[in-house]
Amino acid sequence: MRSVYCCLMLLVAGAACATAPVASDDAIGPPPGVTITDDGGVDTPGLPGFRTYTLTAQSTGTRIVAFDFVGDAMLPADFGFFGAMNQVHPLGFDTPFKDQNGFFAAVGALPSQDSQFLFVLSDLAFAIPGLSTDSHSRLEAVLALLQPTSSVPFVQLVLPAGPGAGGVLYSGLVALESGDVLFVTGSVGVPVPEPAALVLAGLAGCGAVGVCCRRSNRGRR
């Protein structure tokens, strides 16, 4: 049975030994943490009804060295990005990374129309073969950075916009130079109810309460 987690831990240990600065015993720094933010999305060029989102990972404490958005049977969660998303597969190539973006013009597509991790494989220290995959409902990969960093745009998602769009949910692990491996989870492109809709929902709730109260009062008479 494969263990992505074991591979990730070995990778983190090696990266920490190779790059972590020597610190004194009394050195105090910020606690380890990772935040994932998105840019709010922009209308996807040449693809009406879609928005392209870029997600950035930022760490506190020490720098980011690896991502695991696959997971396996030894982990409690099924990691990855899940939900309806646009994919471009020029000439039949899968495109979880930027390696095949040079072929997009041949099929009349743009890189900004593809959901992908924002790395070229040659710029990574490590990626597990066969575990970097994409489809119109899933995007996943395990990878390690060639250069640890405190902040990195790491994935691009092209999602349907407008009424009925469900967005994408994600979960995974981010490994830090210190050896900490942190769980991250969230959503992208999930519609937020308009204020007017919230008011109507509130009024509907009040109306339901009023009806119950009137029925209750009638019962007492």
Side-chain angles (χ1 to χ4, degrees), residues 131-220:
L131 296 184
S132 301
T133 63
D134 68 8
S135 71
H136 292 287
S137 61
R138 182 171 182 141
L139 178 65
E140 59 184 16
V142 177
L143 59 102
L145 306 178
L146 196 60
Q147 296 293 330
T149 181
S150 296
S151 180
V152 59
F154 73 102
V155 73
Q156 170 179 286
L157 302 172
V158 183
L159 310 182
V168 159
L169 303 178
Y170 65 86
S171 59
L173 301 174
V174 180
L176 302 181
E177 201 172 21
S178 60
D180 294 289
V181 179
L182 306 177
F183 176 71
V184 294
T185 186
S187 62
V188 184
V190 176
V192 177
E194 296 290 338
L198 292 174
V199 170
L200 289 174
L203 291 175
C206 291
V209 171
V211 169
C212 291
C213 289
R214 286 195 294 274
R215 288 176 178 171
S216 177
N217 289 336
R218 287 172 186 163
R220 294 193 187 101

Side-chain angles (χ1 to χ4, degrees), residues 16-181:
C17 291
T19 61
V22 176
S24 63
D25 292 338
D26 58 353
I28 299 175
V34 173
T35 57
I36 307 293
T37 58
D38 70 73
D39 61 355
V42 297
D43 291 338
T44 305
L47 199 62
F50 284 80
R51 288 180 68 80
T52 299
Y53 297 81
T54 299
L55 275 66
T56 297
Q58 186 164 356
S59 68
T60 58
T62 58
R63 298 175 296 178
I64 296 167
V65 297
F67 295 90
D68 177 1
F69 279 93
V70 176
D72 66 9
M74 295 184 67
L75 296 170
D78 193 14
F79 296 157
F81 294 83
F82 305 96
M85 63 186 84
N86 197 64
Q87 297 287 359
V88 179
H89 293 153
L91 310 180
F93 291 120
D94 285 346
T95 55
F97 295 102
K98 296 171 60 176
D99 294 75
Q100 310 301 340
N101 285 3
F103 293 102
F104 281 33
V107 295
L110 300 171
S112 58
Q113 298 173 352
D114 185 57
S115 299
Q116 58 183 232
F117 288 94
L118 297 174
F119 305 101
V120 177
L121 287 175
S122 59
D123 292 335
L124 295 173
F126 181 84
I128 298 180
L131 296 184
S132 301
T133 63
D134 68 8
S135 71
H136 292 287
S137 61
R138 182 171 182 141
L139 178 65
E140 59 184 16
V142 177
L143 59 102
L145 306 178
L146 196 60
Q147 296 293 330
T149 181
S150 296
S151 180
V152 59
F154 73 102
V155 73
Q156 170 179 286
L157 302 172
V158 183
L159 310 182
V168 159
L169 303 178
Y170 65 86
S171 59
L173 301 174
V174 180
L176 302 181
E177 201 172 21
S178 60
D180 294 289
V181 179

